[in-house]
Amino acid sequence: VSCRHCDDPLCMKGCIAGAISRDETGTVVIDKNKCVGCYTCILTCPYGAITLDAEAGVQKCELCASRADGMPACVQGCPNRALKWEERA
């Protein structure tokens, strides 16, 4: 299950530490340095897209923002080319 980067993300509203926000592209991201590990985001996400991360509290799809080519790994690695990536305004 991947994050849907909701228009009105419940995970972001429920985060007591302010660790969940939108970046300049509109992607919902988690600042692992601010996360206090309360797991409220896991409980409030209606899609079950946020999971435990043994090293840094929680994790979710962030559209591979840290990849140099900007292409999400799931799209690039899909053997049937069923996933597509497109920019939306």
Side-chain angles (χ1 to χ4, degrees):
V1 177
S2 67
C3 178
R4 301 201 180 160
H5 304 278
C6 303
D7 291 331
D8 189 21
L10 295 176
C11 62
M12 190 165 69
K13 285 181 174 181
C15 180
I16 64 170
I20 301 177
S21 62
R22 285 194 187 279
D23 68 8
E24 61 279 351
T25 66
T27 303
V28 177
V29 296
I30 299 173
D31 182 339
K32 294 182 187 237
N33 293 318
K34 289 183 180 179
C35 179
V36 296
C38 70
Y39 307 131
T40 303
C41 56
I42 293 173
L43 297 171
T44 58
C45 176
Y47 304 105
I50 303 175
T51 60
L52 292 176
D53 178 10
E55 296 176 7
V58 295
Q59 64 182 358
K60 62 177 246 9
C61 168
E62 294 185 350
L63 300 174
C64 295
S66 61
R67 288 177 54 119
D69 63 1
M71 179 67 62
C74 60
V75 174
Q76 191 172 27
C78 181
N80 296 322
R81 308 252 186 249
L83 300 174
K84 302 289 181 197
W85 174 250
E86 62 183 44
E87 296 283 337
R88 291 189 180 183

